[in-house]
Amino acid sequence: MARIAGVNIPTAKRVPISLQYIAGIGAHNAELICDALKIDRARRVNQLTDAEVLAIREYIDANFTVEGDLRREVSMNIKRLMDLGCYRGLRHRKGLPVRGQRTHTNARTRKGPAKPIAGKKK
């Protein structure tokens, strides 16, 4: 199993598909990596030589922010918004949708299970 950026990528799959198992690399970036290193998209990871795997690893390290560094950067951005007290930061702090979605109905994923209204009892 090839290990790139701290992730064991599947060996039986094609190279662009396998590269997408790394957080921070999607379909477009995987294609860019294959183009830059002149690796055929139809090849499987287990058909790559050690030199090609090393070249992929070095290219990713040089040109992309992936895995732990990416997660840390995203969490620091959210923490910065919360510390500023801006609208987006307040929404993150309250656990509500951040990007303008409606909350009167829906948004159950962010708000959690529905809470019954405390009122008069029969």
Side-chain angles (χ1 to χ4, degrees), residues 53-95:
V53 172
L54 182 64
I56 291 172
R57 190 176 301 134
E58 289 173 350
Y59 187 82
I60 289 173
D61 287 342
N63 298 304
F64 295 97
T65 304
V66 292
E67 285 299 323
D69 293 337
L70 179 65
R71 294 179 209 278
R72 190 176 313 105
E73 188 177 319
V74 169
S75 68
M76 291 301 292
N77 288 341
I78 292 171
K79 187 176 184 312
R80 178 180 53 82
L81 290 171
M82 289 166 53
D83 291 342
L84 284 173
C86 65
Y87 181 79
R88 282 175 57 202
L90 295 176
R91 302 298 281 184
H92 274 292
R93 198 179 301 158
K94 291 178 182 177

Side-chain angles (χ1 to χ4, degrees), residues 23-67:
I25 295 180
H28 181 71
N29 286 336
E31 297 290 335
L32 290 177
I33 292 168
C34 290
D35 287 341
L37 299 176
K38 295 179 177 49
I39 295 174
D40 184 23
R41 291 182 183 87
R43 289 177 64 194
R44 309 275 169 171
V45 174
N46 55 13
Q47 296 171 344
L48 294 176
T49 64
D50 290 338
E52 289 172 323
V53 172
L54 182 64
I56 291 172
R57 190 176 301 134
E58 289 173 350
Y59 187 82
I60 289 173
D61 287 342
N63 298 304
F64 295 97
T65 304
V66 292
E67 285 299 323

Side-chain angles (χ1 to χ4, degrees), residues 95-97 102-116:
L96 293 170
R102 84 183 271 130
T103 56
H104 178 69
T105 58
N106 302 335
R108 289 278 45 121
T109 303
R110 289 288 297 193
K111 291 168 68 173
K115 300 167 198 77

